[in-house]
Amino acid sequence: MSQQEKRLTTIALALAVISLLLGGYALVVLQSLSSSVSDLQATVSQLKTSIDQLTARVSKLEGAAAAPPPASPVKLVVIGPWAGKEADYFQAVINAYKKTHPNVEIEYRTMRAEDVAAVMPVQFAAGIAPGDVIFGWAWWIVKMGKEGHIVDVSGLINENDYIPGIVDQVKDGNKIYGVPFTMWLKPGFWYRKSFFQKYGLSEPKSYDEFVSLLEKIKGIPGVKNPIATGDGVGWPMSDVTEHFLIAYGGPQLQLDLISGKVRFTDPRVRDIFANKLVPLISKRYFSEPIEWTTAVTKWWAGEYGIYFMGTWITGMVDDPKDLDFFPLPEARGVVGGADYAFVPKYSRNPDAALDFLKFLATEGQVVHASVPSGKIPTWKKASVEALWPPMQSVYRKIAGKGMSILPDLDDSVGGDWQKLFWDQLKLLWVNPGALDSVLKTLEASQPRP
């Protein structure tokens, strides 16, 4: 073999060795890549499982849909504003639910909306809730929902099944943070039929006739004042004030005051106060403010002739068949509103809570309106014939006059202004001469559009 041939052979052997080494390296790399791909596939599978679990969790808590009835015993704490007889009427709803859900124990606790709004934000901030289903003001429910404390129930109810606009009160964009329960109305001045018959009184057909009626009642022996003024935290006086604003300013004025488009110092508003409401206060046609449930008893006993109150009064008197009402003759709208319930995100039994919430929004309303609660359903699938008979007549009277159902002014504005409104009206009732100061104070804090 020549030297040239030896060099070529050596180079060939070297290339062969290098080729073998590269082949082995490539095999190792491929095996490593294969292992990495397998690990990556496993990781992706785990991530997919986690995402599916998270999606299911989000679906349950955000945009909740109907949940099946709980198969094992659970306990729900339900917090609402009703006490006394009103609590008994709500208990009828709980009892109806428990008939079909024997595994659910429900404890009802009373807490008024103003207390809910004052106490629960602190608890929510700590990630706890004292109840599983809670009633509260609509504006406050939306506020808590936007802060992330309340379950979005947009998948739980169909908005088209409710009185127009009633669900809007608890919406923020496409999210629904609560459900409407039954609806109350604040239709006018209530009176006993037997009292009017005994003294030859009749419902007024104009403001002048209304004033004449008050003067006649004032002259009846034993009557302290023609109109009983309810009190509490202040809402009974705001209710009757709103009725005057609607009657003599029209339904749109109520809406414009809520939005802030019309100010409380507007000449139209002052005219209603100065020429319709304040003269009646000054002439003592209205009584001094009396705790509102005590006022029911005194008015029913004949110490006062008429009493402005909501429809819940039908369930608070001994004989609702002796009860009737009239709005101010010029009124073309009345305030009406629903109670709203929600599920906090910190509920210990969210599935059961959502199931009960859906019952409240549907069949539970039928049960509540069928007993002397003084409420009508907001759920349109409930028939009028299912209502408690005295409420059937109220419903037909309002519908017969073609009145608009309007939102409550101070409930809609809410916040600190609501309490200011109540306090200023208390001042006006004891000092009618403070009218301009009252209106300026209300306007200064009135929200702007």
Side-chain angles (χ1 to χ4, degrees):
M1 181 178 294
S2 65
Q3 289 297 322
Q4 179 66 24
E5 289 174 337
K6 287 180 179 177
R7 282 198 298 272
L8 290 173
T9 300
T10 301
I11 292 171
L13 288 172
L15 289 174
V17 170
I18 292 172
S19 176
L20 287 171
L21 290 172
L22 289 173
Y25 177 74
L27 180 61
V28 170
V29 170
L30 285 174
Q31 288 176 339
S32 177
L33 284 174
S34 176
S35 176
S36 297
V37 168
S38 297
D39 291 344
L40 184 59
Q41 288 175 333
T43 302
V44 169
S45 178
Q46 290 175 352
L47 283 173
K48 185 176 183 303
T49 300
S50 298
I51 290 172
D52 289 343
Q53 292 173 343
L54 184 59
T55 301
R57 179 65 176 166
V58 169
S59 176
K60 185 183 293 183
L61 294 178
E62 304 287 350
S72 56
V74 296
K75 179 179 179 179
L76 295 178
V77 174
V78 177
I79 296 176
W82 305 287
K85 286 185 177 180
E86 289 185 304
D88 293 340
Y89 304 141
F90 184 65
Q91 187 63 44
V93 179
I94 293 175
N95 294 342
Y97 180 79
K98 291 176 68 176
K99 283 184 180 179
T100 54
H101 297 73
N103 284 334
V104 181
E105 178 188 353
I106 297 178
E107 177 187 343
Y108 174 70
R109 299 176 184 172
T110 300
M111 184 180 285
R112 299 196 66 83
E114 49 266 36
D115 297 323
V116 168
V119 172
M120 292 195 187
V122 176
Q123 295 173 310
F124 289 171
I128 57 175
D132 302 286
V133 175
I134 302 170
F135 284 83
W137 286 318
W139 66 267
W140 182 82
I141 292 173
V142 173
K143 182 175 185 290
M144 290 296 102
K146 291 167 70 174
E147 292 181 8
H149 299 301
I150 291 177
V151 177
D152 171 13
V153 295
S154 55
L156 196 70
I157 61 173
N158 183 347
E159 292 182 64
N160 296 326
D161 292 341
Y162 295 86
I163 291 174
I166 206 75
V167 178
D168 292 343
Q169 301 295 312
V170 282
K171 285 186 67 178
D172 179 48
N174 293 325
K175 293 186 176 182
I176 302 175
Y177 290 116
V179 301
F181 190 47
T182 49
M183 184 178 191
W184 40 260
L185 297 171
K186 299 174 180 177
F189 294 90
W190 297 88
Y191 65 88
R192 293 190 67 170
K193 294 177 185 176
S194 58
F195 182 86
F196 268 41
Q197 290 169 355
K198 181 177 180 179
Y199 296 106
L201 307 174
S202 59
E203 295 183 8
K205 296 181 174 57
S206 66
Y207 179 78
D208 289 341
E209 287 191 18
F210 178 61
V211 176
S212 296
L213 172 66
L214 299 180
E215 192 62 26
K216 289 178 182 177
I217 295 174
K218 190 176 181 180
I220 295 173
V223 170
K224 294 182 177 178
N225 301 89
I227 308 173
T229 300
D231 192 14
V233 293
W235 58 265
M237 280 175 276
S238 67
D239 286 350
V240 70
T241 299
E242 288 180 43
H243 191 64
F244 274 80
L245 290 169
I246 294 168
Y248 300 108
Q252 188 60 44
L253 179 64
Q254 175 85 344
L255 300 175
D256 289 343
L257 284 169
I258 290 172
S259 69
K261 183 178 179 181
V262 171
R263 314 301 295 173
F264 263 81
T265 48
D266 187 288
R268 291 171 292 171
V269 176
R270 189 187 185 284
D271 180 68
I272 295 168
F273 272 91
N275 296 313
K276 294 293 190 297
L277 182 59
V278 168
L280 304 185
I281 300 173
S282 300
K283 293 181 179 178
R284 301 184 63 80
Y285 289 137
F286 282 96
S287 75
E288 295 288 331
I290 309 165
E291 194 281 324
W292 75 276
T293 58
T294 301
V296 172
T297 303
K298 291 178 177 291
W299 156 72
W300 192 255
E303 293 185 25
Y304 307 95
I306 57 179
Y307 187 23
F308 190 94
M309 188 49 58
T311 48
W312 52 86
I313 198 172
T314 56
M316 300 176 67
V317 297
D318 294 334
D319 181 11
K321 293 180 181 177
D322 191 28
L323 194 62
D324 207 342
F325 78 95
F326 63 86
L328 285 169
E330 295 82 358
R332 294 296 175 265
V334 296
V335 168
D339 292 301
Y340 291 91
F342 67 94
V343 173
K345 284 189 175 178
Y346 318 110
S347 167
R348 295 180 179 179
N349 296 292
D351 287 341
L354 288 170
D355 189 69
F356 183 63
L357 192 76
K358 184 174 184 179
F359 179 76
L360 290 176
T362 55
E363 297 295 337
Q365 291 200 36
V366 179
V367 177
H368 199 228
S370 68
V371 297
S373 64
K375 305 291 182 64
I376 61 175
T378 58
W379 188 48
K380 293 191 297 185
K381 291 186 177 181
S383 69
V384 176
E385 287 70 27
L387 272 62
W388 182 49
M391 286 306 297
Q392 291 182 28
S393 63
V394 172
Y395 183 85
R396 292 191 173 103
K397 198 168 187 177
I398 293 296
K401 291 179 179 293
M403 290 191 171
S404 302
I405 305 298
L406 300 166
D408 188 285
L409 193 159
D410 54 289
D411 283 353
S412 298
V413 175
D416 293 336
W417 190 87
Q418 183 176 43
K419 188 174 184 303
L420 177 70
F421 190 38
W422 295 341
D423 290 343
Q424 289 299 305
L425 290 178
K426 287 182 181 179
L427 171 62
L428 185 66
W429 243 254
V430 298
N431 183 14
L435 173 61
D436 287 318
S437 172
V438 166
L439 295 179
K440 286 180 181 177
T441 301
L442 292 175
E443 193 278 337
S445 299
Q446 184 183 4
R448 294 185 178 278

PDB file of all heavy atoms in Angstrom, residues 107-126:
ATOM      1  N   GLU A 107     -82.369  28.733  58.065  1.00  0.00           N
ATOM      2  CA  GLU A 107     -82.507  29.597  59.240  1.00  0.00           C
ATOM      3  C   GLU A 107     -82.707  31.023  58.753  1.00  0.00           C
ATOM      4  O   GLU A 107     -81.874  31.548  58.009  1.00  0.00           O
ATOM      5  CB  GLU A 107     -81.257  29.524  60.122  1.00  0.00           C
ATOM      6  CG  GLU A 107     -81.333  30.472  61.335  1.00  0.00           C
ATOM      7  CD  GLU A 107     -80.026  30.505  62.108  1.00  0.00           C
ATOM      8  OE1 GLU A 107     -79.192  29.593  61.913  1.00  0.00           O
ATOM      9  OE2 GLU A 107     -79.844  31.459  62.895  1.00  0.00           O
ATOM     10  N   TYR A 108     -83.816  31.645  59.161  1.00  0.00           N
ATOM     11  CA  TYR A 108     -84.091  33.028  58.747  1.00  0.00           C
ATOM     12  C   TYR A 108     -83.688  34.002  59.851  1.00  0.00           C
ATOM     13  O   TYR A 108     -84.023  33.801  61.019  1.00  0.00           O
ATOM     14  CB  TYR A 108     -85.577  33.223  58.414  1.00  0.00           C
ATOM     15  CG  TYR A 108     -85.922  34.671  58.135  1.00  0.00           C
ATOM     16  CD1 TYR A 108     -85.469  35.295  56.981  1.00  0.00           C
ATOM     17  CD2 TYR A 108     -86.657  35.424  59.049  1.00  0.00           C
ATOM     18  CE1 TYR A 108     -85.742  36.631  56.729  1.00  0.00           C
ATOM     19  CE2 TYR A 108     -86.948  36.756  58.807  1.00  0.00           C
ATOM     20  CZ  TYR A 108     -86.494  37.353  57.649  1.00  0.00           C
ATOM     21  OH  TYR A 108     -86.758  38.675  57.399  1.00  0.00           O
ATOM     22  N   ARG A 109     -82.970  35.032  59.463  1.00  0.00           N
ATOM     23  CA  ARG A 109     -82.568  36.083  60.398  1.00  0.00           C
ATOM     24  C   ARG A 109     -83.035  37.433  59.866  1.00  0.00           C
ATOM     25  O   ARG A 109     -82.976  37.679  58.664  1.00  0.00           O
ATOM     26  CB  ARG A 109     -81.041  36.111  60.558  1.00  0.00           C
ATOM     27  CG  ARG A 109     -80.440  34.821  61.115  1.00  0.00           C
ATOM     28  CD  ARG A 109     -78.931  34.898  61.145  1.00  0.00           C
ATOM     29  NE  ARG A 109     -78.335  33.646  61.574  1.00  0.00           N
ATOM     30  CZ  ARG A 109     -77.021  33.392  61.532  1.00  0.00           C
ATOM     31  NH1 ARG A 109     -76.184  34.340  61.102  1.00  0.00           N
ATOM     32  NH2 ARG A 109     -76.554  32.231  61.927  1.00  0.00           N
ATOM     33  N   THR A 110     -83.468  38.295  60.775  1.00  0.00           N
ATOM     34  CA  THR A 110     -83.947  39.626  60.386  1.00  0.00           C
ATOM     35  C   THR A 110     -82.824  40.651  60.448  1.00  0.00           C
ATOM     36  O   THR A 110     -82.113  40.758  61.449  1.00  0.00           O
ATOM     37  CB  THR A 110     -85.093  40.073  61.318  1.00  0.00           C
ATOM     38  OG1 THR A 110     -86.182  39.150  61.226  1.00  0.00           O
ATOM     39  CG2 THR A 110     -85.587  41.459  60.925  1.00  0.00           C
ATOM     40  N   MET A 111     -82.653  41.379  59.362  1.00  0.00           N
ATOM     41  CA  MET A 111     -81.723  42.510  59.337  1.00  0.00           C
ATOM     42  C   MET A 111     -82.203  43.475  58.257  1.00  0.00           C
ATOM     43  O   MET A 111     -82.353  43.091  57.098  1.00  0.00           O
ATOM     44  CB  MET A 111     -80.295  42.058  59.026  1.00  0.00           C
ATOM     45  CG  MET A 111     -79.272  43.199  59.078  1.00  0.00           C
ATOM     46  SD  MET A 111     -77.573  42.668  58.723  1.00  0.00           S
ATOM     47  CE  MET A 111     -77.166  41.833  60.255  1.00  0.00           C
ATOM     48  N   ARG A 112     -82.478  44.703  58.628  1.00  0.00           N
ATOM     49  CA  ARG A 112     -82.989  45.664  57.660  1.00  0.00           C
ATOM     50  C   ARG A 112     -81.880  46.083  56.686  1.00  0.00           C
ATOM     51  O   ARG A 112     -80.690  45.970  56.983  1.00  0.00           O
ATOM     52  CB  ARG A 112     -83.584  46.880  58.368  1.00  0.00           C
ATOM     53  CG  ARG A 112     -84.761  46.517  59.283  1.00  0.00           C
ATOM     54  CD  ARG A 112     -85.578  47.731  59.653  1.00  0.00           C
ATOM     55  NE  ARG A 112     -86.251  48.295  58.497  1.00  0.00           N
ATOM     56  CZ  ARG A 112     -87.422  47.847  58.017  1.00  0.00           C
ATOM     57  NH1 ARG A 112     -88.036  46.852  58.605  1.00  0.00           N
ATOM     58  NH2 ARG A 112     -87.975  48.418  56.971  1.00  0.00           N
ATOM     59  N   ALA A 113     -82.319  46.589  55.534  1.00  0.00           N
ATOM     60  CA  ALA A 113     -81.378  46.908  54.449  1.00  0.00           C
ATOM     61  C   ALA A 113     -80.319  47.908  54.881  1.00  0.00           C
ATOM     62  O   ALA A 113     -79.144  47.796  54.495  1.00  0.00           O
ATOM     63  CB  ALA A 113     -82.151  47.431  53.246  1.00  0.00           C
ATOM     64  N   GLU A 114     -80.713  48.895  55.702  1.00  0.00           N
ATOM     65  CA  GLU A 114     -79.740  49.898  56.129  1.00  0.00           C
ATOM     66  C   GLU A 114     -78.649  49.275  57.008  1.00  0.00           C
ATOM     67  O   GLU A 114     -77.490  49.705  56.982  1.00  0.00           O
ATOM     68  CB  GLU A 114     -80.427  51.058  56.866  1.00  0.00           C
ATOM     69  CG  GLU A 114     -81.399  50.657  57.954  1.00  0.00           C
ATOM     70  CD  GLU A 114     -82.838  50.563  57.456  1.00  0.00           C
ATOM     71  OE1 GLU A 114     -83.035  50.137  56.311  1.00  0.00           O
ATOM     72  OE2 GLU A 114     -83.741  50.898  58.239  1.00  0.00           O
ATOM     73  N   ASP A 115     -79.016  48.246  57.782  1.00  0.00           N
ATOM     74  CA  ASP A 115     -78.025  47.567  58.612  1.00  0.00           C
ATOM     75  C   ASP A 115     -77.135  46.660  57.759  1.00  0.00           C
ATOM     76  O   ASP A 115     -75.932  46.536  58.023  1.00  0.00           O
ATOM     77  CB  ASP A 115     -78.729  46.759  59.705  1.00  0.00           C
ATOM     78  CG  ASP A 115     -79.515  47.652  60.656  1.00  0.00           C
ATOM     79  OD1 ASP A 115     -79.028  48.759  60.956  1.00  0.00           O
ATOM     80  OD2 ASP A 115     -80.624  47.260  61.076  1.00  0.00           O
ATOM     81  N   VAL A 116     -77.744  46.013  56.762  1.00  0.00           N
ATOM     82  CA  VAL A 116     -76.956  45.190  55.843  1.00  0.00           C
ATOM     83  C   VAL A 116     -75.879  46.038  55.169  1.00  0.00           C
ATOM     84  O   VAL A 116     -74.709  45.659  55.093  1.00  0.00           O
ATOM     85  CB  VAL A 116     -77.880  44.538  54.777  1.00  0.00           C
ATOM     86  CG1 VAL A 116     -77.049  43.918  53.648  1.00  0.00           C
ATOM     87  CG2 VAL A 116     -78.768  43.487  55.423  1.00  0.00           C
ATOM     88  N   ALA A 117     -76.303  47.214  54.695  1.00  0.00           N
ATOM     89  CA  ALA A 117     -75.364  48.098  53.989  1.00  0.00           C
ATOM     90  C   ALA A 117     -74.278  48.628  54.913  1.00  0.00           C
ATOM     91  O   ALA A 117     -73.154  48.897  54.469  1.00  0.00           O
ATOM     92  CB  ALA A 117     -76.131  49.261  53.354  1.00  0.00           C
ATOM     93  N   ALA A 118     -74.589  48.770  56.200  1.00  0.00           N
ATOM     94  CA  ALA A 118     -73.614  49.331  57.138  1.00  0.00           C
ATOM     95  C   ALA A 118     -72.622  48.288  57.636  1.00  0.00           C
ATOM     96  O   ALA A 118     -71.447  48.590  57.848  1.00  0.00           O
ATOM     97  CB  ALA A 118     -74.342  49.971  58.323  1.00  0.00           C
ATOM     98  N   VAL A 119     -73.100  47.051  57.823  1.00  0.00           N
ATOM     99  CA  VAL A 119     -72.288  46.030  58.502  1.00  0.00           C
ATOM    100  C   VAL A 119     -71.499  45.140  57.546  1.00  0.00           C
ATOM    101  O   VAL A 119     -70.332  44.822  57.784  1.00  0.00           O
ATOM    102  CB  VAL A 119     -73.211  45.153  59.395  1.00  0.00           C
ATOM    103  CG1 VAL A 119     -72.440  43.963  59.953  1.00  0.00           C
ATOM    104  CG2 VAL A 119     -73.805  45.984  60.517  1.00  0.00           C
ATOM    105  N   MET A 120     -72.121  44.733  56.456  1.00  0.00           N
ATOM    106  CA  MET A 120     -71.531  43.654  55.662  1.00  0.00           C
ATOM    107  C   MET A 120     -70.287  44.013  54.843  1.00  0.00           C
ATOM    108  O   MET A 120     -69.467  43.124  54.573  1.00  0.00           O
ATOM    109  CB  MET A 120     -72.595  43.024  54.775  1.00  0.00           C
ATOM    110  CG  MET A 120     -73.630  42.283  55.598  1.00  0.00           C
ATOM    111  SD  MET A 120     -74.663  41.172  54.657  1.00  0.00           S
ATOM    112  CE  MET A 120     -75.837  40.685  55.945  1.00  0.00           C
ATOM    113  N   PRO A 121     -70.109  45.265  54.397  1.00  0.00           N
ATOM    114  CA  PRO A 121     -68.874  45.537  53.650  1.00  0.00           C
ATOM    115  C   PRO A 121     -67.610  45.152  54.397  1.00  0.00           C
ATOM    116  O   PRO A 121     -66.653  44.644  53.794  1.00  0.00           O
ATOM    117  CB  PRO A 121     -68.962  47.045  53.404  1.00  0.00           C
ATOM    118  CG  PRO A 121     -70.419  47.333  53.338  1.00  0.00           C
ATOM    119  CD  PRO A 121     -71.023  46.431  54.370  1.00  0.00           C
ATOM    120  N   VAL A 122     -67.586  45.357  55.702  1.00  0.00           N
ATOM    121  CA  VAL A 122     -66.408  44.996  56.488  1.00  0.00           C
ATOM    122  C   VAL A 122     -66.213  43.482  56.496  1.00  0.00           C
ATOM    123  O   VAL A 122     -65.090  42.974  56.352  1.00  0.00           O
ATOM    124  CB  VAL A 122     -66.545  45.522  57.932  1.00  0.00           C
ATOM    125  CG1 VAL A 122     -65.374  45.057  58.784  1.00  0.00           C
ATOM    126  CG2 VAL A 122     -66.632  47.044  57.935  1.00  0.00           C
ATOM    127  N   GLN A 123     -67.340  42.751  56.636  1.00  0.00           N
ATOM    128  CA  GLN A 123     -67.248  41.293  56.655  1.00  0.00           C
ATOM    129  C   GLN A 123     -66.830  40.751  55.287  1.00  0.00           C
ATOM    130  O   GLN A 123     -66.027  39.826  55.193  1.00  0.00           O
ATOM    131  CB  GLN A 123     -68.599  40.704  57.092  1.00  0.00           C
ATOM    132  CG  GLN A 123     -68.960  41.061  58.537  1.00  0.00           C
ATOM    133  CD  GLN A 123     -70.351  40.624  58.916  1.00  0.00           C
ATOM    134  OE1 GLN A 123     -71.299  40.899  58.197  1.00  0.00           O
ATOM    135  NE2 GLN A 123     -70.476  39.945  60.037  1.00  0.00           N
ATOM    136  N   PHE A 124     -67.407  41.331  54.231  1.00  0.00           N
ATOM    137  CA  PHE A 124     -67.031  40.910  52.882  1.00  0.00           C
ATOM    138  C   PHE A 124     -65.532  41.133  52.643  1.00  0.00           C
ATOM    139  O   PHE A 124     -64.862  40.315  52.018  1.00  0.00           O
ATOM    140  CB  PHE A 124     -67.843  41.672  51.844  1.00  0.00           C
ATOM    141  CG  PHE A 124     -69.295  41.271  51.776  1.00  0.00           C
ATOM    142  CD1 PHE A 124     -70.195  42.003  51.006  1.00  0.00           C
ATOM    143  CD2 PHE A 124     -69.765  40.167  52.479  1.00  0.00           C
ATOM    144  CE1 PHE A 124     -71.529  41.634  50.932  1.00  0.00           C
ATOM    145  CE2 PHE A 124     -71.105  39.788  52.416  1.00  0.00           C
ATOM    146  CZ  PHE A 124     -71.983  40.529  51.646  1.00  0.00           C
ATOM    147  N   ALA A 125     -65.033  42.255  53.130  1.00  0.00           N
ATOM    148  CA  ALA A 125     -63.613  42.558  52.929  1.00  0.00           C
ATOM    149  C   ALA A 125     -62.723  41.520  53.597  1.00  0.00           C
ATOM    150  O   ALA A 125     -61.592  41.275  53.159  1.00  0.00           O
ATOM    151  CB  ALA A 125     -63.303  43.948  53.483  1.00  0.00           C
ATOM    152  N   ALA A 126     -63.254  40.866  54.665  1.00  0.00           N
ATOM    153  CA  ALA A 126     -62.505  39.818  55.357  1.00  0.00           C
ATOM    154  C   ALA A 126     -62.768  38.446  54.744  1.00  0.00           C
ATOM    155  O   ALA A 126     -62.271  37.430  55.253  1.00  0.00           O
ATOM    156  CB  ALA A 126     -62.880  39.817  56.842  1.00  0.00           C
TER     157      ALA A 126
END
